[in-house]
Amino acid sequence: MILEERPDGAGAGEESPRLQGCDSLMQMQCGQLQSRRARIHQQIDKELQMRTGAENLYRATSNNRVRETVALELSYVNSNLQLLKEELEELSGGVDPGQHGSEAVTVPMIPLGLKETKELDWSTPLKELISVHFGEDGASYEAEIRELEALRQAMRTPSRNEAGLELLTAYYNQLCFLDARFLTPARSLGLFFHWYDSLTGVPAQQRALAFEKGSVLFNIGALHTQIGARQNRSCAEGAHRAVEAFQRAAGTFSLLRENFSHAPSPDMSPASLCALEQLMMAQAQECVFEGLSPPASMAPQDCLAQLRLAQEAAQVAAEYRLVHQTMAQPPVHDYMPVSWTALVHVKAEYFRSLAHYHVAMALCDGSPTEGELPTHEQVFLQPPTSCKPQGPVLPQELEERRQLGKAHLKRAILGQEEALRLHALCRVLREVDLLRAVVAQTLQRSLAKYAELDREDDFCETAEAPDIQPKTHQKPEARTPRLSPGKGPDIFHRLGPLSVFSAKNRWRLAGPVHLTRGESGFGLTLRGDSPVLIAAVVPGSQAAAAGLKEGDYIVSVNGQPCRWWRHAEVVAELKAAGEAGASLQVVSVLPSSRLPTLGDRRPALLGPRGLLSSQREHGCKTPASTWASPRPLLSWSRKAQQGKPGGCSQPRAPVKPALPSSSKCPGWL
């Protein structure tokens, strides 16, 4: 993706991003949950600080009485931490309170809670950096800084819909702009970005802007999970929307895992992100199955439809078994909510039992033709302990099919009873009555069918039903989130185009230069837009005498900033100067040798006078705010590989900006 920018006037009158996706109605709906999570996070932070102090005192003292008192305090603090983590787990592991209201009973999904963060003061570091490197008055950018702070404040409580995703994306794009304009490998903003872990509630902080970007990206994936969990999956359209939401969530976590290194919190570690990606893909596969579930009016004699559902259910069970294996292994087991692991285990047993139930319905109520038998036989696998060669396992006689269907029903009943047992073992899941209602309803349906098939004269022992071959007609794939759906704002666009005016480039300001017209004109050639470049200077001309050089960028004409002007606008202004001439300020880009730091108090590399003093003396005014398009995602990656499908390119070292091209041919002035 290419970073685009928009010159003055583009996008004027558009609604501010902070006004979208964060309305009062949303805050009333999810504000209580967010407040409870924030309160728990703060209490956990306080207890962790107390524990750290007590541990330091325990190690520092040699007084036995003091050590006993500190040990007792540590025991008390650890107990409080355990209770707080259990309370946080209940909030994270419960059913989404905003889930749709539907008459159909569906299995609850697992939505992720958003990462919480503390308020952040951008004012001091940004004003200092604007003054030091860009040589402008940092106080003149207070409106832009307030806009950035308001956007960050709004994205802390996004609404659980597309508007909320757009809000998070807008802030993420602003972080990419900040990264491109203000940061270099040798410079940081000097801010501590403080975020709470979504899974454990443990606070973490880093100075790197990449941590802020990664946390926002995590919240984009988490918000996709909440949107998917809120869909009405009893209808095909709602199931399709849920599938897409979980696919986007999986793609977000995959993108974060591949491009973020040295995670300071467990929820953003590679192992955790891998487990979350697998969980989202399993939930997407479950939604695919729910989209295929037949309505109540469908005749159960449709053998092909029942067998197709059996294989789809087996596929969902296989996906959840893999997720459960991942969650049960360290280090994921240490910080993944126990209720999530239990729910995944319940779902694995439940959908495996559903596969056997649908096969039983196909065997007992269906009447397959001879041509359909090969299709039916592909549904089954021989039991692992069987020594018989693989062959047809679907009986052709009605009584034999009834006996085999009864065997599958028996396995379905055992699986559903096991799912209810696992549900009862977890304290958090016991409070989720919806899940128990779904499994219990399916169990009653299986028992009723088994009673219908059972006969008093059945003296033969029921055979062991074979396993079901997992198969799906639609295998969900992780989809990259839409981080740049359209053109967005660059809040600090007044500093100039990023191709030149960024902290990665060094330049020197020259001027004001008074340029008069000679017999053959000014003696220079202009090219490009935003900013306009001096492509050539005629030796001995007025431009050469004024000190203008090839490669300089014109940033001011007659006291008017023209960093965003087009070629034709600069040419027209110079031609209108007449015999009196024009006053120019130009910027010369210098080779990159050493980038200034915030410790360099002078306007580094801006000439002896500095850009700020020159603008004040000559009455230069900064243009009004306009809009520009967002920077492409994840330039902060250390692990991204070029050419990888769906990935992001490697970040490139700062280089001298190339000469901007223009559709207009350069002309002599």
Side-chain angles (χ1 to χ4, degrees):
M1 290 183 289
I2 301 175
L3 178 64
E4 299 177 356
E5 297 174 89
R6 211 187 295 187
D8 290 47
E14 293 181 5
E15 186 178 1
S16 175
R18 68 185 178 91
L19 300 180
Q20 301 177 3
C22 186
D23 53 8
S24 57
L25 179 60
M26 169 265 153
Q27 293 180 358
M28 292 176 59
Q29 291 177 344
C30 67
Q32 294 182 352
L33 179 61
Q34 294 281 42
S35 299
R36 290 179 61 190
R37 290 174 60 87
R39 177 181 58 81
I40 296 174
H41 287 318
Q42 293 173 0
Q43 291 177 348
I44 290 177
D45 191 9
K46 180 179 178 181
E47 295 292 340
L48 287 174
Q49 293 177 2
M50 294 177 59
R51 186 173 69 177
T52 301
E55 289 174 347
N56 293 336
L57 179 59
Y58 187 85
R59 288 191 295 264
T61 185
S62 58
N63 189 309
N64 291 333
R65 178 173 295 181
V66 174
R67 291 173 69 92
E68 291 177 0
T69 304
V70 173
L72 181 61
E73 180 68 21
L74 278 173
S75 175
Y76 177 74
V77 170
N78 288 330
S79 298
N80 287 343
L81 278 174
Q82 184 64 29
L83 293 175
L84 289 171
K85 290 182 178 181
E86 289 180 0
E87 186 177 355
L88 182 66
E89 180 183 322
E90 291 180 5
L91 294 179
S92 301
V95 181
D96 187 359
Q99 197 171 11
H100 63 84
S102 174
E103 296 180 356
V105 181
T106 56
V107 180
M109 293 292 183
I110 298 179
L112 271 67
L114 301 184
K115 293 172 68 69
E116 301 286 346
T117 182
K118 291 184 176 180
E119 294 185 0
L120 194 64
D121 181 16
W122 295 92
S123 178
T124 302
L126 288 180
K127 286 182 180 179
E128 185 176 7
L129 188 55
I130 290 173
S131 299
V132 170
H133 185 84
F134 295 90
E136 296 197 28
D137 186 5
S140 65
Y141 285 84
E142 289 184 354
E144 284 83 352
I145 295 175
R146 286 196 302 268
E147 175 72 15
L148 178 63
E149 292 177 341
L151 182 60
R152 189 180 191 274
Q153 181 67 21
M155 72 89 198
R156 295 175 64 185
T157 55
S159 56
R160 288 177 287 182
N161 49 33
E162 292 297 328
L165 290 174
E166 292 176 2
L167 178 63
L168 287 171
T169 302
Y171 179 67
Y172 180 85
N173 291 333
Q174 289 306 316
L175 294 178
C176 294
F177 271 113
L178 292 176
D179 191 3
R181 189 180 295 278
F182 294 114
L183 302 185
T184 67
R187 174 193 288 124
S188 67
L189 291 174
L191 288 171
F192 275 110
F193 299 100
H194 194 118
W195 289 82
Y196 292 94
D197 189 275
S198 175
L199 302 177
T200 64
V202 176
Q205 62 180 10
Q206 275 191 355
R207 288 183 180 270
L209 185 65
F211 181 42
E212 179 88 350
K213 294 166 66 177
S215 299
V216 175
L217 192 59
F218 183 94
N219 276 0
I220 291 176
L223 189 56
H224 275 294
T225 69
Q226 296 185 13
I227 292 175
R230 290 169 58 87
Q231 299 300 321
N232 183 1
R233 307 190 310 275
S234 60
C235 62
E237 183 180 357
H240 176 73
R241 289 195 299 266
V243 170
E244 183 178 1
F246 288 122
Q247 285 178 302
R248 296 288 183 186
T252 304
F253 297 135
S254 175
L255 190 63
L256 187 58
R257 174 175 53 84
E258 294 172 358
N259 293 274
F260 192 89
S261 57
H262 308 295
S265 57
D267 58 358
M268 294 172 62
S269 65
S272 176
L273 292 173
C274 182
L276 293 177
E277 181 183 355
Q278 291 181 0
L279 175 61
M280 296 308 117
M281 296 308 299
Q283 294 192 140
Q285 191 69 63
E286 179 181 350
C287 295
V288 170
F289 170 80
E290 291 177 332
L292 295 174
S293 297
S297 59
M298 190 194 81
Q301 291 80 11
D302 192 344
C303 296
L304 292 180
Q306 293 289 349
L307 292 176
R308 182 182 180 184
L309 287 174
Q311 290 191 294
E312 291 284 351
Q315 181 68 36
V316 177
E319 297 282 349
Y320 276 119
R321 283 197 298 271
L322 292 177
V323 176
H324 182 260
Q325 292 175 4
T326 303
M327 287 185 171
Q329 297 295 327
V332 180
H333 174 72
D334 298 332
Y335 44 78
M336 195 68 66
V338 178
S339 59
W340 290 10
T341 306
L343 179 58
V344 166
H345 197 183
V346 170
K347 286 192 173 187
E349 293 294 334
Y350 170 71
F351 282 101
R352 183 166 58 179
S353 68
L354 272 186
H356 288 287
Y357 172 81
H358 286 294
V359 168
M361 296 296 293
L363 290 171
C364 301
D365 297 336
S367 301
T369 63
E370 184 176 354
E372 294 176 345
L373 288 178
T375 302
H376 292 183
E377 294 164 1
Q378 295 174 5
V379 176
F380 302 102
L381 287 176
Q382 292 286 355
T385 57
S386 175
C387 299
K388 297 181 181 179
Q390 186 79 18
V393 295
L394 183 63
Q396 301 186 24
E397 297 295 331
L398 181 60
E399 180 60 24
E400 293 179 353
R401 285 202 301 272
R402 187 186 69 84
Q403 289 290 342
L404 184 57
K406 186 177 178 181
H408 280 287
L409 270 180
K410 182 178 179 180
R411 290 196 63 177
I413 293 172
L414 293 176
Q416 290 151 11
E417 290 177 343
E418 176 67 11
L420 287 176
R421 186 187 70 84
L422 295 173
H423 176 272
L425 290 178
C426 181
R427 180 176 61 86
V428 177
L429 289 186
R430 286 200 301 268
E431 299 177 2
V432 185
D433 296 333
L434 180 61
L435 175 61
R436 188 182 186 282
V438 172
V439 182
Q441 180 182 11
T442 308
L443 176 60
Q444 293 300 323
R445 186 176 57 185
S446 300
L447 289 173
K449 188 64 179 178
Y450 189 86
E452 179 183 337
L453 295 177
D454 195 21
R455 298 177 181 175
E456 295 182 358
D457 56 350
D458 281 345
F459 299 104
C460 299
E461 184 177 355
T462 304
E464 180 68 20
D467 293 330
I468 310 301
Q469 172 67 46
K471 184 179 180 181
T472 179
H473 83 292
Q474 178 184 345
K475 179 67 175 176
E477 296 181 357
R479 302 178 63 180
T480 305
R482 293 186 287 263
L483 295 179
S484 298
K487 294 185 178 181
D490 174 16
I491 292 180
F492 293 93
H493 78 286
R494 287 197 293 147
L495 291 172
L498 278 170
S499 59
V500 178
F501 301 99
S502 70
K504 297 177 177 63
N505 296 328
R506 301 169 61 243
W507 63 82
R508 179 180 62 250
L509 178 70
V513 175
H514 188 71
L515 182 63
T516 58
R517 183 186 301 274
E519 295 181 358
S520 58
F522 293 110
L524 54 84
T525 304
L526 303 183
R527 182 196 305 168
D529 298 326
S530 303
V532 175
L533 174 75
I534 299 178
V537 176
V538 178
S541 65
Q542 300 293 103
L548 299 180
K549 298 179 181 179
E550 178 183 348
D552 289 348
Y553 292 96
I554 301 177
V555 297
S556 174
V557 179
N558 294 328
Q560 304 181 57
C562 61
R563 299 180 183 186
W564 288 101
W565 285 17
R566 296 187 177 275
H567 175 274
E569 295 173 328
V570 176
V571 170
E573 187 70 21
L574 290 177
K575 288 182 177 180
E579 298 297 332
S583 178
L584 302 181
Q585 280 186 307
V586 296
V587 160
S588 300
V589 178
L590 304 177
S592 298
S593 59
R594 184 185 72 87
L595 292 171
T597 63
L598 291 179
D600 301 330
R601 306 308 304 175
R602 295 178 57 221
L605 305 173
L606 291 178
R609 303 178 55 132
L611 180 59
L612 177 60
S613 60
S614 300
Q615 286 186 338
R616 283 176 175 172
E617 287 183 16
H618 300 279
C620 295
K621 296 182 179 180
T622 309
S625 177
T626 58
W627 302 98
S629 62
R631 179 174 174 82
L633 74 114
L634 296 178
S635 60
W636 41 275
S637 166
R638 294 185 179 181
K639 299 166 62 179
Q641 300 178 356
Q642 291 183 348
K644 186 172 182 180
C648 303
S649 60
Q650 292 272 13
R652 294 175 292 182
V655 296
K656 181 177 179 180
L659 300 182
S661 60
S662 174
S663 58
K664 298 181 180 297
C665 298
W668 292 100
L669 291 176

